[in-house]
Amino acid sequence: MKKKILCAIICCIFLSGCSWSKGEKNISLELDNTKESEEANLKAGDFVVFLGLDTKQEKIIVQRVAGGNKYSLSYSGTTNVKDRFGQIISMTQIQPGELVDIVYSAHSKVLLEVSVSEETWTNTGIIKYSIDKARKIIQIGSEKYKYTKDLVMISQGKVIEMIDLNSKDVLTMKGRGKTVNSIIVEKGHGYVRLENESAFIDGFVEVGQSVILPVTENMLITVGEGDYNLRITNHGIGGTKPVTVLRDEEVVVDVGDLYDGTEMTGDIAFTITPSNAKLYINGEEKNYGELINLSYGVHQILIEADGYETLSRYLNVGQPLASIEIMLEKKEDTAQSSSSSSSSTSSSSTYENISSDVIQSSTMNKIFIDGPEGAEVYMDGNYKGIAPTNFKKEIGSHEIILR
C-alpha cells in the first residue's frame, strides 16, 4: 500500500497571502494596503468571523459579517478576551471560523475586547445536509438556513471554497438567527484508488459500512477520513484489507493478492411481508420459500408487491448462514402521495460537489466537461476520461471529481 498527495482541482480562498499553521496557531500577515486602509469603516463594536492569529505580531485576522471585508487588527495584553459565557480566555483558544463580537479603538488602533458572540448558535457533527447554491440555502435535517457570498468555510485552519466540501465530510456550522455565517470541516475526506483490480471488475468494493460501489477500471473512491476495512469481492472470491484514509490525500490499495480463486458462499433465509411479494436478486427472481445460496460479497436485492412501496437495497453476504426479515411499507393514497412528492420536490435540494464554471454546456443526454484541459474526470468514483470530455447524463445526484 502506498500513499501519495492528491493533486485535486481545489479553488482555495487565499487571504491575500495569509497562511495558517494549526500547530503553532500563527499566520503571516500580508494584507494588501486597500484592506488595511479600510479599518476606518470598522465599527467600534462589530460582529466578525475569526480567521486566524499571529501571536508574534499580536494581530488577528477577521472578516466582517456585514460586507465580507477582512481586517488585520492589533491586540495587546490589556485586550479582554472572553468566551460566550463571559469567562476570560486566551486569544489562542479562539478557533478559525468562530463568530465573535469585537470592540475596536480607532484612536489607538488596538482591540479593546474580543468575545465569542452569545447571540449565535453552533451545530456540530452534521452529516446530513444539503446546499442549494442557486438559492443560497443550507438545509440541516428539516431546518433551512440562508447564507451569503461572504460565507466563511474552514478546513484544518485554512479558508476553503464551497467546491472543496464533500458529502462525506462531517461539519460544524455557526450562525445567527436563520443565517449560516461559517462552516468548519470537523472530519474531511480523502480518496482510495484500487491497484491490480482487473479480476474484480463488475464485482463490488466496500469501504467501511457506508461505501459500497461496483468495481470499475481506474476508479477513485471518495471516503471520509479514518480507518476502515476495505472488502472487495467478485462471484464470492475476494478478501479484506485495512486502509487509513487521510484528509485530502489519496491512498492506493493493491488488491491483486486477494483474488485466490476460492469461492465462498452463504445460505440466506428470507422472511418477507406480504407473503406474495416478489424477490429479485441481481435482477433474477428468487423463490424465498427456501434457503437461497449466494456467493460472498454484495448483491442487489429488489422486493415489490402490489399496494406496497418497492424496496431496493444492497445485501452483503459474509457468513455461512443468515436470516433476514423484511416488511414492506404500504403505499399512501394517490392524492396524498402526489401532494407529498410535490412538496418534497420543491423543498429539497442535493449538494453536488462541482463548481458551476466546470460544466460549460449540456444537452438532454450528455454532460460536457470542457476544462481544465488535461484533468482526469471521475463521476461517482468511475473514470470518465481526460478533459475536455463528455459522457452520458444520469438522473440523480452525482459527485464529480477533477484531478
Side-chain angles (χ1 to χ4, degrees):
M1 186 183 299
K2 54 185 178 180
K3 297 180 180 176
K4 53 186 178 181
I5 300 295
L6 175 69
C7 297
I9 302 299
I10 299 178
C11 301
C12 291
I13 301 174
F14 289 97
L15 188 55
S16 303
C18 293
S19 61
W20 168 267
S21 172
K22 188 176 181 182
E24 299 179 359
K25 295 184 179 176
N26 282 295
I27 56 176
S28 65
L29 302 172
E30 299 176 7
L31 286 178
D32 56 80
N33 293 330
T34 302
K35 294 299 182 185
E36 288 191 337
S37 67
E38 290 176 353
E39 288 182 5
N41 296 327
L42 193 65
K43 296 180 181 178
D46 220 326
F47 180 48
V48 300
V49 183
F50 187 92
L51 297 182
L53 166 69
D54 187 330
T55 54
K56 293 179 179 178
Q57 296 189 43
E58 292 191 322
K59 289 189 175 183
I60 65 172
I61 296 291
V62 298
Q63 176 176 308
R64 191 180 181 192
V65 170
N69 291 338
K70 299 177 181 68
Y71 302 92
S72 167
L73 303 175
S74 298
Y75 67 93
S76 68
T78 61
T79 302
N80 289 320
V81 186
K82 301 178 181 179
D83 64 16
R84 64 181 297 115
F85 305 106
Q87 301 298 312
I88 299 297
I89 58 174
S90 68
M91 194 72 81
T92 57
Q93 289 178 268
I94 301 180
Q95 298 299 314
E98 189 61 81
L99 305 180
V100 298
D101 294 312
I102 61 172
V103 178
Y104 177 74
S105 171
H107 174 70
S108 63
K109 295 189 179 298
V110 172
L111 285 160
L112 303 178
E113 183 171 297
V114 178
S115 58
V116 178
S117 180
E118 61 180 16
E119 298 179 356
T120 61
W121 51 263
T122 298
N123 197 331
T124 63
I126 302 171
I127 56 176
K128 292 184 179 180
Y129 62 94
S130 62
I131 301 177
D132 185 335
K133 290 183 281 187
R135 299 165 58 200
K136 286 187 167 48
I137 291 177
I138 298 176
Q139 183 163 338
I140 309 171
S142 60
E143 294 292 323
K144 292 183 179 181
Y145 302 85
K146 62 182 180 179
Y147 69 93
T148 71
K149 63 180 179 61
D150 300 314
L151 173 67
V152 173
M153 287 157 284
I154 302 288
S155 177
Q156 294 183 310
K158 296 179 180 179
V159 179
I160 62 173
E161 281 194 350
M162 186 77 73
I163 193 174
D164 300 313
L165 296 180
N166 187 276
S167 59
K168 302 293 191 300
D169 296 340
V170 180
L171 306 179
T172 287
M173 296 191 189
K174 295 175 179 288
R176 185 164 63 175
K178 298 297 289 185
T179 300
V180 177
N181 299 117
S182 71
I183 296 176
I184 304 160
V185 179
E186 293 179 26
K187 187 177 179 182
H189 63 280
Y191 304 88
V192 175
R193 185 183 294 279
L194 302 180
E195 189 174 70
N196 297 319
E197 78 282 11
S198 58
F200 294 101
I201 299 296
D202 298 328
F204 282 88
V205 60
E206 309 160 61
V207 185
Q209 301 295 317
S210 59
V211 178
I212 301 177
L213 293 170
V215 178
T216 59
E217 189 176 1
N218 297 323
M219 70 186 305
L220 186 70
I221 308 168
T222 306
V223 185
E225 62 179 316
D227 297 320
Y228 302 94
N229 283 323
L230 182 148
R231 180 179 177 82
I232 189 167
T233 56
N234 191 12
H235 299 295
I237 303 172
T240 302
K241 281 191 172 183
V243 59
T244 298
V245 179
L246 302 179
R247 189 179 304 194
D248 299 328
E249 293 190 14
E250 178 183 311
V251 57
V252 179
V253 182
D254 188 344
V255 296
D257 59 335
L258 296 179
Y259 197 89
D260 61 3
T262 304
E263 182 177 5
M264 300 183 68
T265 64
D267 291 323
I268 310 298
F270 285 92
T271 302
I272 300 176
T273 303
S275 59
N276 65 340
K278 292 183 178 181
L279 168 66
Y280 298 87
I281 300 180
N282 301 328
E284 181 182 347
E285 186 174 358
K286 296 289 185 179
N287 176 16
Y288 56 89
E290 56 189 31
L291 290 176
I292 299 177
N293 186 259
L294 297 173
S295 60
Y296 273 28
V298 179
H299 301 267
Q300 189 169 30
I301 66 171
L302 186 144
I303 306 172
E304 60 182 13
D306 290 340
Y308 291 83
E309 299 288 347
T310 298
L311 179 71
S312 179
R313 292 287 187 273
Y314 284 113
L315 171 65
N316 188 3
V317 179
Q319 58 191 60
L321 181 64
S323 60
I324 298 175
E325 185 174 349
I326 298 172
M327 183 177 295
L328 297 183
E329 295 183 1
K330 288 187 177 182
K331 288 184 177 179
E332 301 177 2
D333 62 81
T334 305
Q336 184 177 352
S337 176
S338 175
S339 173
S340 173
S341 174
S342 174
S343 173
S344 175
T345 301
S346 63
S347 64
S348 65
S349 58
T350 304
Y351 175 76
E352 297 184 18
N353 186 28
I354 181 166
S355 70
S356 58
D357 58 355
V358 172
I359 300 180
Q360 299 297 331
S361 59
S362 65
T363 68
M364 289 295 292
N365 299 311
K366 288 187 176 182
I367 293 177
F368 291 81
I369 306 293
D370 290 348
E373 186 174 351
E376 296 177 0
V377 181
Y378 297 84
M379 186 173 81
D380 298 335
N382 299 317
Y383 178 74
K384 292 297 184 180
I386 301 293
T389 187
N390 65 82
F391 45 89
K392 183 179 178 182
K393 182 186 294 184
E394 299 177 19
I395 295 175
S397 174
H398 303 280
E399 177 185 76
I400 294 178
I401 299 174
L402 308 179
R403 67 175 299 274

